[in-house]
Structure formats: structure tokens, C-alpha cells
Amino acid sequence: MQAKAEDFFFSGLNQAGDTNNDVKSNVTTVNVDQIPGLNTMGISLVRIDYAPYGKNPPHTHPRATEILVLLEGTLYVGFVSSNQDNNRLFAKMLYPGDVFVFPIGMIHFQVNMGKTPAVAFAGLSSQNAGVITIADTVFGSTPPINPEILAQAFKLDVNVVKDLEAKFKN
Amino acid sequence: MQAKAEDFFFSGLNQAGDTNNDVKSNVTTVNVDQIPGLNTMGISLVRIDYAPYGKNPPHTHPRATEILVLLEGTLYVGFVSSNQDNNRLFAKMLYPGDVFVFPIGMIHFQVNMGKTPAVAFAGLSSQNAGVITIADTVFGSTPPINPEILAQAFKLDVNVVKDLEAKFKN
Amino acid sequence: MQAKAEDFFFSGLNQAGDTNNDVKSNVTTVNVDQIPGLNTMGISLVRIDYAPYGKNPPHTHPRATEILVLLEGTLYVGFVSSNQDNNRLFAKMLYPGDVFVFPIGMIHFQVNMGKTPAVAFAGLSSQNAGVITIADTVFGSTPPINPEILAQAFKLDVNVVKDLEAKFKN
Amino acid sequence: MQAKAEDFFFSGLNQAGDTNNDVKSNVTTVNVDQIPGLNTMGISLVRIDYAPYGKNPPHTHPRATEILVLLEGTLYVGFVSSNQDNNRLFAKMLYPGDVFVFPIGMIHFQVNMGKTPAVAFAGLSSQNAGVITIADTVFGSTPPINPEILAQAFKLDVNVVKDLEAKFKN
Amino acid sequence: MQAKAEDFFFSGLNQAGDTNNDVKSNVTTVNVDQIPGLNTMGISLVRIDYAPYGKNPPHTHPRATEILVLLEGTLYVGFVSSNQDNNRLFAKMLYPGDVFVFPIGMIHFQVNMGKTPAVAFAGLSSQNAGVITIADTVFGSTPPINPEILAQAFKLDVNVVKDLEAKFKN
Amino acid sequence: MQAKAEDFFFSGLNQAGDTNNDVKSNVTTVNVDQIPGLNTMGISLVRIDYAPYGKNPPHTHPRATEILVLLEGTLYVGFVSSNQDNNRLFAKMLYPGDVFVFPIGMIHFQVNMGKTPAVAFAGLSSQNAGVITIADTVFGSTPPINPEILAQAFKLDVNVVKDLEAKFKN
């Protein structure tokens, strides 16, 4: 089947994602699922919207480095390096036009520090970067991870873990 | 030397590039030269500004696929496939929020079709994508390519080629 | 400088790592830092020891897939898939001779279910796989992540987060 | 289906390609389309014939570096570096037994400088390197690129461009 | 079809392979054929058993570097570097807990030096590393390589080669 | 230091290599050691000369697939597949203009079947492919491999092995 221009095209990133949710942020992903022409190309794109005080909570991309540019608002961003680098926090306040890089696999987050919405775009070095939201993955998996395991790992009472697993249950 | 947050940071992409030039467009590049933390990461970012009727003339990126999102204005974009695919033109009119992909090595262009400035951001699948502007490279190299070679290749009179080489001389 | 046999050699993996610690497990890593001949080779090795009821708490390897073989003991192991796959838990009870794979970047864990020590070896698809222990990275970074950010992300009271950050402080 | 010796074999490169064409040169390609055993192998081969004064006009390979060896004749060859290197021309006169490298994605050409045919072989670092002949791609695409775009990019009168597009029309 | 835990699981590596054969050693391979979840993951695992004085004869892995850890016994191991490095032998006596690396494509071997069985595990940097046992491949191919070719290459009488080919015939 | 045309150039492949040696063949290599511009480019080139009845004895390239084109003479070529494919011989008689592929890491050979010299060129998918001549590596390493190991592996009398090691000693 012959490729056509539409196979390299997507529309709609001018529209803010719906931030009416728990974290008050929204990621709109444009990867190989939306654009077949990205197959084998090693790149994709996202738009991220943040309501006032909205957060993109700690997460990783298992197959991509992310380069983010802030278009509107004020964003506090950071990633934590791996154990070998002593889990150092690399953080920065971003203003419009600022760019920040989150290296592949590192846990990172963004927080809207202002009273107005924030908007960012980001490129990712994979046609299918993947997202692992830490809290949802650890406390909200299906089925849940044994609470004893998490209680010890996170130094939490087992009942607190059970409570978290109930809250994060899909 | 220990890495720090600034090694993953760049600022200034909120400012329009200077489009007061021949092509009336400007590309601001954020790659490993600006952000050392991009080293080995396989990704970089650009902001592209287009004055009214400004053009980003036919060019290639020898080491990257590009995914572009239009923020403001109206852009006519396209790439031409390789000889094996019969040099077909894949073109599209883009409006704000539209995304288009230019596969690695393909000759592509963007043209602002409107009376107002246009602005786009693009991710590239290399820390150092490279840019080869076709006309400048073919007719404006240092030293110039022998005009006879170009005259035959481009089916132009050799004096036209000499004239072009004078115009494109750096 | 000419390479020699010692550049491809390491000794000591017959000795159990010290599991007298909070998690009652220990990972001994043999990568390019120990064996210079692994440079560019895309592989490394670890020995993991687990005291009775010891745990290798939830963690990721940002640059490697892991293939583990259990030598002694009984191990409950699992990883959680990414958001796109609905954070499903892939878990299994392992007995001596069992093998399990943890795909690159996925959050995974191992727990010794028995009254005796457990021992496993694992190959990793990188000369320098990296380790990100989730709890330590999220709650024990230097400096700490703002507790408000973590409180909302983990649906915990901010004072619980502050308490966790104190516990995980290096 | 079991592989056999024929899957790794091709014949006929002893025969000169037909140079009775506009550019008086001919490229015979031996890639994964001719030899199925090249699949995933990252290499292919071409024979290039040049009639007296024949030219292999400016072109790129979007997915491969080329290493050429001249067997017969005298060849003037060159490539132009990217914008970042100021579009410098790297050129050389080649005699039998000379070798020249054209890095991935760079615009390059070869010209037979002599009264006798020239013959070269070249290896390419892809099972499917692709070819983009610049003039044909820019002025001969299907459908044609808007002449106004090309006129400005190439500093040509729009009627000259229209004339070129008529000449290059497939 | 949705992946499940069994797609990342294999059992049985606690059992010694059958060393009742010519070389008195046995390699049990766990790669993508046994574990579908290893697809694209760039890693696999083997268990190697050696009867007393058993040998894993000179062989190569065409697509992987190997990192071996000795669990039991005493193993003499080595690889020979390529022609450019003057075919130097890198060899070492290994005791339990010792690790040795065999770089991709290098001819290597292991020999049990003791009166008791030896056991090793090894990681390989490919989901499908391949094995080429030198003697079997050279003297036992189907159909056999012309004995004249091998006689000259190995500086053996052609009748000795014919005899070897008879011995190695599958 | 700025690159120049000479960094992409090599001369002398018009001259036959000296085949006055044991195997009556000669390989002239043009890789990154001869052409610095090949660095990171994943390709190199060789010229192979064969005296009448000369042989390029069984060898492997640990880091490259080879695509060979025969220019003059008659060549019998072959490679043997890996153990998993039952060490099948893929062989072919080549005449001028014939092309054959030797996949990465496979043991392969070429033999001049005629009374006149043969000449071939080959591309290799690495800037530094490496060569491992089987007989020299197995029987001629420095220091030699223990003859007992080779005797058992090759089903030869240990005195025959000692004799071979003396013959292949550098």
C-alpha cells in the first residue's frame, strides 16, 4: 500500500488537553499510533497542559529521552539521577522559552507554579516512548503488589499501603 | 566533573528569531552544542520563525527525522520521496496544532502562506541533526562546484549557473 | 596500552553480599567499572543475595533489560507494565533453576519467600545498566523533592511525606 | 522456508550499465531487493558506469555512507559539507585504484573527466541506502513543487523554474 | 494477543545438562526461542555443564559478547584475539565466583580442569547469539568443504582432512 | 582540526597485493586506519588478490557482513551456517560480475579455481571489521593453546596438534 501525506500528519495539538483530573495536568501524545510514518524513525511529540498548580507527577519514559520547551506559564521541573550518582535532584524553575532535558529512564516531574495554565511541548527519542507514572504503577497495578512488599520498601505502615492501593485502584 | 542542572537547561526559545534575511525565516537550534546533557541522547529541538510569506527553503537533515508542530500561522509544508518512490511530493497545508513528519534525509520545505508571522517547534532524532540547505550547498559551496557539472545536472545554461554561484557566494 | 587477560576478568562472585541492611538484600555488580573489557560490549552481570524474607525493592534499570536465574531459595518476582498496558502486574513464584525477564525500564522487584537465603544471578543488556530504587529516588533524593509535590502525586498527607523524606535521607 | 546459497548471490555486475541517457552514467544497485540475504545486514553494493564526460549528478543517500573505488578512467568527485561546516567542497581527482568516501546524507557527485568510459564500484552502509537526485527531486517531483517556492529558494526567475519543471517532468 | 507472565518465564536451569557426549560438556540455552518476552531485548542466558575434564571446544558467537561466571569446579578459559592483534591468547584459570568476558566473534573455549563437574552461567548480548563450533563447522559441514581447501588452510595432509570429515560427519 | 578532502581519500587499490605467501592470496584493507573520515560510518573496503589456485582460507569477520564482487578469474566461495542451522555449507562458483554475501561472524572462504589470477573487491559493514583466520587463530596463537584441548576438539592426535602448532607458530 502506497504511503500518502496523511500518513505523516496529525492535527489537534492547538487544543488544550483536559486537566479536570486528579493531577490537574494532561499529556497529549503524538507517536507512531497516531502517525504511521513515524515507524522506525526514533522520535515522537507530546503537548502537556497544566492547570494552575497542576502537576505532571513523577514518572519515567522507559525508551526515550525527553526535551521539553515551556510555552506558557511557570514550571518547576526536575529529575533525580540514579543510585550510582547518589539520587541527586536536578531541578530548575522554567519560564516561557526555557528548555529542559530529562534523560532516558530517569524519574522526573513538572509542576505549574502559577495561577494561570501552563503549556509545554516535548520531543521524545522514540516512536513509542512509553510512560510509567510511579505512584500509579507502584500502588495502582492490576492486580495490586502485595502490601507487605511495598510497606517495607517505602517504610510505610502496611495499612497505609492498603489505603493507598485502594485510592490508586483503577 | 560532576553534572549539574544547568547542563540540561537552555533558555530563550520564547524569542522570535530574526527573519530579516533572504528567506524571511529563522531556525533557532537547541542541540548538544547548547545543552551538553544531550550527549548520546538522540534528540534535539528547534524553533522556526517565518515572516509573512517567509520560507524555510528545501533542505535535508542528514542524521535525523523531524517532527514539526505549528503554533501560529498557516504553513504549507512538504517533502519529496526518494528516486525509488518516484520523487513523489508529500505536501499539506498546516494550521495551528497540526503536526507533520519529515523522514530522515528527505528534501523538505515550509512556507508561510499568510500575512502574519508563523511559529513552529520541531523535534529531531539526533543530538546533532545537521542541516543541508540545497540551493546554498549546490550553488554556494566554497569553493564553488564546477559550473559545467551543475549546468548539465540542473539543465541550466552554464552562464545561469555562474550567475547563481555569484548570488549564493558566501 | 595493550589489553591483557586481567582486563576481561573479575573474581569474588562466590561470596554472598552483605544482607545486613534495611532491605535484607544485596546486589554485587560486575560491569565496565570492574571489567574494562566490557567497554562497548552491551552486557554486564550481577549477583543478588537475599536474607530470609529479604527484598530487592521496586526499582528500574534505565538502560538495560535483565534476565535473572534463581540458584537457591524461593523468590517472588514481578514487574508492572507501563501506563499504556494499564500497569498490569506480571508476577511469578520462582524456584531454583527458574528464569525471569524484566524488560528495560520497567519497575520490578524480588522477594525471598523462604526461611533460607536466596541467591540469584542476572545478566543485563548494558555495560552500565544503572539502578533507580524507586523509594530512595522519590523520597530520598538530595536535596529532597518538595513534599507538596510528592504528597499530591502519592495521595499522602504532606506530613507523611516529610516523615518519609526524613527516613530516606542519606 | 530454508535459506539457500542463491539467497546470498547475484550476477551480472561484469556488464556495463547503459549510459545512453541524459547524464551519461548508470548505477546498477545490488541491495536487499536483489539479494534477500542482505536483510538486516547493513550493507549493499553498486556498480557505476560513466560514458566519456558522463556525470553522476549531485545526489544524496539518506540512509548510508558510500565508499567508492575507481577501477577505470579518471573521475572528479566531491561532496559538500553541511551548513554548520559552511558548505565546504571536498573534491578530488581520482585515478584507477583511488578510493573516496561520501558521508551519510551529504550531497555528492562524480564526473568522468576523460575520453574513455570510467567504471567504479561502491559499498554503502545500508541494505537499502536510497538515492535522492537533487535536480530531479527538486524540479521533477510529482506533482511539482510550487514554482514560487523554488524561484525564491534558488534565486531564479519563476519562469525559469517553470521551464525547469517542464524539463524534469517524468 | 496480550502478553502474560509466562512469556517472560522459563524453568529448568537447576538441572545439569547431559554431558554424556564427545566433548563431555553441555550448553542449555535460554533465548528468545524459549522466552518470547526477550524479543528485541538484546540479551539471553545459558547454563554450561562440564563433566570432569569436559571441554566446551573452541567456538564463536557471531552476534554476542559473553560474560561467564563459574559456580562450581575449576575452569581453564581463553579467547584468541583477531589477526590485527596478532592472535594473542587471553587465558585464565577460573575458580568459583570468577567472571570472564569473551568479546563478540572471538574464538574461545572452556575446559574443566578438575575431577568434579563444573557449572557456569553466562549472559550473552543478543536475544539469539548463535553458536559456531569451529571444528564441527570447518570439518563437519553439510555438504563437507572440499578437503583440498582445508588441507592447505590447516597444513594437513588431504587424507587427514578426509578422515576428519568422516569423523565430524553429522 | 578542520577536516580536508585527504581525510576521505586513499590510493593504491589498482595494485595487486603480493600473493607470494603460503595461501597465495592477499587482502588489502581500506578501513578507518587508512581513511580517518570513515570514523563512525559503519563501512570499509578490501581488495583481494588470488594467485592461480590461491586461497583465502576459512576466516570470520567478528564485526561485519561482507559483500564481495568478483572482477577477474573464477572463484569458489562459501560460508557455513551456525550450529542452529546444522552447519550447512552455502557455496557457489563465481565468475566475473558475480556477487556473494558472507553474513556477520560466519566462517567463510574463497578459492581461485583457475590458472590465472583472480581479483575481487568487497564492502564490509564496519569501519573496523576485524579478521580471524581460523587455522592461525586456533593453531598459531601466542602463546599456543594447550594441545590437549585442541586434540580433543579437533579429533586429532595430540602429536599432530603439536606439529600443527609448530607449523603455525608466528
Side-chain angles (χ1 to χ4, degrees):
Chain A
M1 214 173 57
Q2 205 177 35
K4 52 191 187 310
E6 278 66 25
D7 296 330
F8 298 86
F9 174 73
F10 179 80
S11 70
L13 282 197
N14 55 323
Q15 306 213 323
D18 181 2
T19 58
N20 188 12
N21 55 41
D22 273 8
V23 293
K24 295 196 266 178
S25 75
N26 191 293
V27 179
T28 306
T29 298
V30 183
N31 69 14
V32 71
D33 290 336
Q34 282 78 38
I35 299 186
L38 283 175
N39 197 20
T40 77
M41 292 300 172
I43 196 158
S44 56
L45 194 75
V46 297
R47 173 188 171 132
I48 318 177
D49 289 283
Y50 314 80
Y53 309 110
K55 298 176 179 62
N56 189 3
H59 64 283
T60 68
H61 303 294
R63 292 179 295 276
T65 289
E66 177 177 354
I67 182 167
L68 176 147
V69 56
L70 181 61
L71 298 191
E72 297 173 22
T74 305
L75 221 51
Y76 174 70
V77 305
F79 71 85
V80 182
S81 63
S82 63
N83 297 5
Q84 293 87 337
D85 191 53
N86 298 315
N87 305 126
R88 293 191 297 136
L89 175 65
F90 291 67
K92 197 85 185 166
M93 194 70 72
L94 301 188
Y95 303 95
D98 286 358
V99 175
F100 206 77
V101 170
F102 306 105
I104 185 167
M106 298 294 130
I107 297 180
H108 60 288
F109 60 85
Q110 300 111 29
V111 180
N112 181 354
M113 304 301 282
K115 300 175 183 174
T116 58
V119 184
F121 280 84
L124 293 131
S125 65
S126 167
Q127 68 180 41
N128 179 9
V131 184
I132 296 174
T133 303
I134 303 302
D136 298 70
T137 302
V138 171
F139 295 107
S141 72
T142 306
I145 297 175
N146 184 320
E148 305 273 0
I149 296 173
L150 298 180
Q152 182 170 340
F154 285 84
K155 301 186 181 178
L156 287 167
D157 185 90
V158 73
N159 286 318
V160 174
V161 170
K162 286 177 182 170
D163 187 46
L164 284 174
E165 294 196 333
K167 285 182 186 166
F168 278 102
K169 191 176 180 179
N170 283 312
Chain B
M1 213 173 58
Q2 205 177 36
K4 54 192 184 310
E6 278 66 25
D7 295 331
F8 298 86
F9 174 72
F10 179 80
S11 70
L13 281 197
N14 56 324
Q15 306 211 326
D18 180 2
T19 59
N20 188 12
N21 54 41
D22 273 8
V23 293
K24 295 196 267 179
S25 74
N26 191 295
V27 179
T28 307
T29 297
V30 183
N31 68 15
V32 71
D33 291 336
Q34 283 77 39
I35 300 185
L38 283 174
N39 197 20
T40 78
M41 292 300 172
I43 197 159
S44 55
L45 192 76
V46 297
R47 173 188 171 132
I48 318 177
D49 289 282
Y50 314 80
Y53 310 111
K55 299 175 178 62
N56 190 3
H59 64 283
T60 67
H61 304 294
R63 292 178 296 275
T65 288
E66 177 178 354
I67 183 167
L68 176 149
V69 55
L70 182 61
L71 297 191
E72 297 173 22
T74 304
L75 221 51
Y76 174 70
V77 305
F79 70 84
V80 182
S81 63
S82 64
N83 297 4
Q84 293 88 336
D85 190 52
N86 298 313
N87 304 127
R88 292 192 295 136
L89 176 65
F90 291 66
K92 198 84 186 166
M93 194 71 72
L94 301 188
Y95 302 96
D98 286 357
V99 175
F100 205 77
V101 170
F102 307 105
I104 185 167
M106 298 295 130
I107 297 179
H108 60 288
F109 59 85
Q110 301 110 28
V111 179
N112 182 355
M113 303 302 282
K115 300 176 184 174
T116 58
V119 184
F121 280 84
L124 293 132
S125 63
S126 167
Q127 69 181 42
N128 179 9
V131 184
I132 296 174
T133 303
I134 302 302
D136 298 71
T137 303
V138 171
F139 295 107
S141 71
T142 304
I145 297 174
N146 183 320
E148 304 273 359
I149 296 173
L150 297 180
Q152 183 171 335
F154 285 84
K155 302 187 181 179
L156 288 168
D157 185 90
V158 72
N159 288 317
V160 174
V161 171
K162 286 177 182 171
D163 188 47
L164 284 174
E165 295 196 331
K167 286 181 185 166
F168 279 102
K169 192 175 180 180
N170 283 312
Chain C
M1 212 172 58
Q2 205 177 35
K4 52 192 186 308
E6 279 66 25
D7 295 331
F8 299 86
F9 173 73
F10 179 81
S11 70
L13 282 197
N14 56 324
Q15 305 212 326
D18 181 2
T19 58
N20 188 12
N21 54 42
D22 274 7
V23 294
K24 295 195 267 179
S25 75
N26 192 294
V27 179
T28 307
T29 297
V30 183
N31 67 16
V32 71
D33 291 337
Q34 283 77 38
I35 300 186
L38 284 175
N39 197 20
T40 77
M41 292 300 173
I43 197 158
S44 55
L45 193 76
V46 297
R47 172 187 172 132
I48 319 177
D49 288 283
Y50 314 80
Y53 310 111
K55 297 174 179 64
N56 191 2
H59 64 283
T60 67
H61 303 295
R63 293 177 296 275
T65 288
E66 177 178 354
I67 182 166
L68 176 148
V69 55
L70 182 60
L71 297 191
E72 297 172 23
T74 304
L75 221 51
Y76 174 69
V77 305
F79 70 84
V80 182
S81 64
S82 64
N83 297 5
Q84 293 87 335
D85 191 53
N86 298 314
N87 304 126
R88 293 193 294 136
L89 175 65
F90 291 67
K92 198 84 185 164
M93 194 70 73
L94 300 189
Y95 302 96
D98 285 357
V99 175
F100 205 76
V101 170
F102 306 106
I104 185 168
M106 297 294 129
I107 297 179
H108 60 287
F109 59 85
Q110 301 111 29
V111 180
N112 182 355
M113 304 301 282
K115 299 175 183 174
T116 57
V119 183
F121 280 84
L124 293 131
S125 63
S126 167
Q127 69 181 41
N128 180 9
V131 184
I132 296 174
T133 302
I134 302 302
D136 299 70
T137 303
V138 171
F139 295 107
S141 71
T142 305
I145 298 175
N146 183 321
E148 305 273 359
I149 295 174
L150 297 179
Q152 182 171 338
F154 285 84
K155 301 185 182 179
L156 288 167
D157 186 90
V158 71
N159 287 317
V160 174
V161 170
K162 286 177 182 170
D163 187 47
L164 284 173
E165 295 197 332
K167 285 182 187 166
F168 279 102
K169 191 175 181 180
N170 282 312
Chain D
M1 216 172 57
Q2 205 177 36
K4 53 192 185 310
E6 278 68 24
D7 296 331
F8 298 86
F9 174 72
F10 179 80
S11 70
L13 281 197
N14 56 325
Q15 306 212 325
D18 180 2
T19 58
N20 188 12
N21 54 42
D22 273 8
V23 293
K24 296 196 265 179
S25 74
N26 191 295
V27 179
T28 306
T29 298
V30 183
N31 68 16
V32 71
D33 291 336
Q34 282 77 38
I35 299 186
L38 284 175
N39 197 21
T40 77
M41 292 300 173
I43 197 158
S44 56
L45 194 75
V46 296
R47 173 188 172 132
I48 319 177
D49 289 283
Y50 314 79
Y53 311 111
K55 298 174 179 63
N56 190 4
H59 64 283
T60 68
H61 303 294
R63 291 178 296 275
T65 288
E66 176 177 355
I67 182 167
L68 176 148
V69 56
L70 181 61
L71 298 191
E72 297 172 23
T74 305
L75 221 52
Y76 174 70
V77 305
F79 71 85
V80 182
S81 63
S82 62
N83 297 5
Q84 292 88 336
D85 191 53
N86 298 314
N87 305 127
R88 291 192 296 137
L89 175 66
F90 291 67
K92 198 83 185 167
M93 194 71 71
L94 301 188
Y95 303 96
D98 286 358
V99 176
F100 205 77
V101 170
F102 307 105
I104 186 167
M106 297 295 129
I107 297 180
H108 60 288
F109 59 86
Q110 300 111 28
V111 179
N112 182 355
M113 303 302 281
K115 300 176 182 173
T116 57
V119 184
F121 280 84
L124 293 131
S125 63
S126 167
Q127 69 181 42
N128 179 9
V131 184
I132 296 174
T133 303
I134 303 302
D136 298 71
T137 302
V138 171
F139 296 107
S141 72
T142 305
I145 298 175
N146 184 320
E148 305 273 359
I149 295 173
L150 297 179
Q152 182 170 337
F154 285 84
K155 302 186 181 179
L156 287 168
D157 186 90
V158 72
N159 287 317
V160 174
V161 170
K162 286 177 181 170
D163 188 46
L164 284 173
E165 294 198 331
K167 285 182 186 166
F168 278 102
K169 191 176 181 180
N170 283 312
Chain E
M1 214 173 57
Q2 205 177 37
K4 52 192 187 308
E6 278 68 24
D7 295 331
F8 299 87
F9 174 73
F10 179 79
S11 69
L13 281 197
N14 55 324
Q15 306 212 324
D18 180 3
T19 59
N20 187 12
N21 54 41
D22 274 7
V23 293
K24 295 196 266 179
S25 74
N26 191 295
V27 179
T28 307
T29 298
V30 183
N31 67 15
V32 70
D33 290 337
Q34 282 77 39
I35 300 186
L38 283 175
N39 197 21
T40 77
M41 292 299 173
I43 197 158
S44 56
L45 194 75
V46 298
R47 172 187 172 132
I48 319 177
D49 289 283
Y50 315 79
Y53 310 110
K55 297 174 179 64
N56 190 3
H59 64 284
T60 67
H61 303 294
R63 291 179 296 274
T65 288
E66 177 178 354
I67 182 167
L68 176 147
V69 56
L70 182 61
L71 298 191
E72 296 172 24
T74 304
L75 221 51
Y76 174 69
V77 305
F79 70 85
V80 182
S81 64
S82 62
N83 297 4
Q84 292 87 335
D85 191 53
N86 298 313
N87 304 128
R88 293 192 295 136
L89 175 65
F90 291 68
K92 197 85 185 164
M93 195 70 73
L94 301 189
Y95 303 96
D98 286 357
V99 175
F100 205 75
V101 169
F102 307 106
I104 185 168
M106 298 295 128
I107 297 180
H108 61 287
F109 60 84
Q110 301 111 29
V111 179
N112 182 355
M113 303 302 282
K115 300 177 182 173
T116 58
V119 184
F121 280 84
L124 293 131
S125 64
S126 167
Q127 69 181 42
N128 179 10
V131 184
I132 296 174
T133 303
I134 302 302
D136 298 70
T137 302
V138 171
F139 294 106
S141 72
T142 306
I145 297 175
N146 183 320
E148 305 273 358
I149 296 173
L150 297 179
Q152 183 171 339
F154 284 83
K155 301 185 181 179
L156 287 167
D157 186 272
V158 73
N159 287 318
V160 174
V161 170
K162 286 178 182 170
D163 187 46
L164 284 174
E165 294 197 331
K167 285 182 186 167
F168 278 102
K169 191 175 181 179
N170 282 312
Chain F
M1 213 174 57
Q2 205 176 36
K4 53 192 185 309
E6 279 65 26
D7 295 330
F8 299 85
F9 174 73
F10 180 80
S11 71
L13 282 197
N14 56 323
Q15 306 212 325
D18 181 2
T19 59
N20 189 12
N21 54 41
D22 273 8
V23 294
K24 295 196 266 179
S25 75
N26 191 294
V27 180
T28 307
T29 298
V30 184
N31 67 16
V32 71
D33 291 337
Q34 283 76 39
I35 300 186
L38 284 175
N39 197 20
T40 78
M41 292 300 172
I43 196 157
S44 56
L45 193 75
V46 296
R47 172 187 171 133
I48 319 177
D49 289 283
Y50 314 79
Y53 310 111
K55 297 175 180 62
N56 190 3
H59 64 284
T60 67
H61 303 294
R63 292 179 296 275
T65 289
E66 176 178 355
I67 182 167
L68 176 148
V69 55
L70 182 60
L71 297 191
E72 296 173 24
T74 304
L75 221 52
Y76 174 69
V77 305
F79 71 84
V80 182
S81 64
S82 64
N83 297 5
Q84 293 87 336
D85 192 53
N86 298 314
N87 305 127
R88 292 191 297 136
L89 175 65
F90 291 67
K92 198 85 185 163
M93 194 69 73
L94 300 189
Y95 303 96
D98 286 357
V99 176
F100 205 76
V101 170
F102 306 106
I104 185 167
M106 298 294 130
I107 297 179
H108 60 287
F109 60 85
Q110 300 112 28
V111 180
N112 181 356
M113 303 301 282
K115 300 175 183 174
T116 57
V119 184
F121 280 85
L124 293 131
S125 63
S126 167
Q127 69 181 41
N128 179 9
V131 184
I132 296 174
T133 302
I134 302 302
D136 299 70
T137 303
V138 171
F139 294 107
S141 71
T142 305
I145 297 175
N146 183 320
E148 304 274 359
I149 296 173
L150 297 179
Q152 182 170 338
F154 284 84
K155 301 186 181 180
L156 287 167
D157 185 89
V158 72
N159 288 316
V160 174
V161 171
K162 287 176 181 171
D163 187 46
L164 284 174
E165 293 196 333
K167 285 182 186 166
F168 278 102
K169 191 175 181 180
N170 283 311

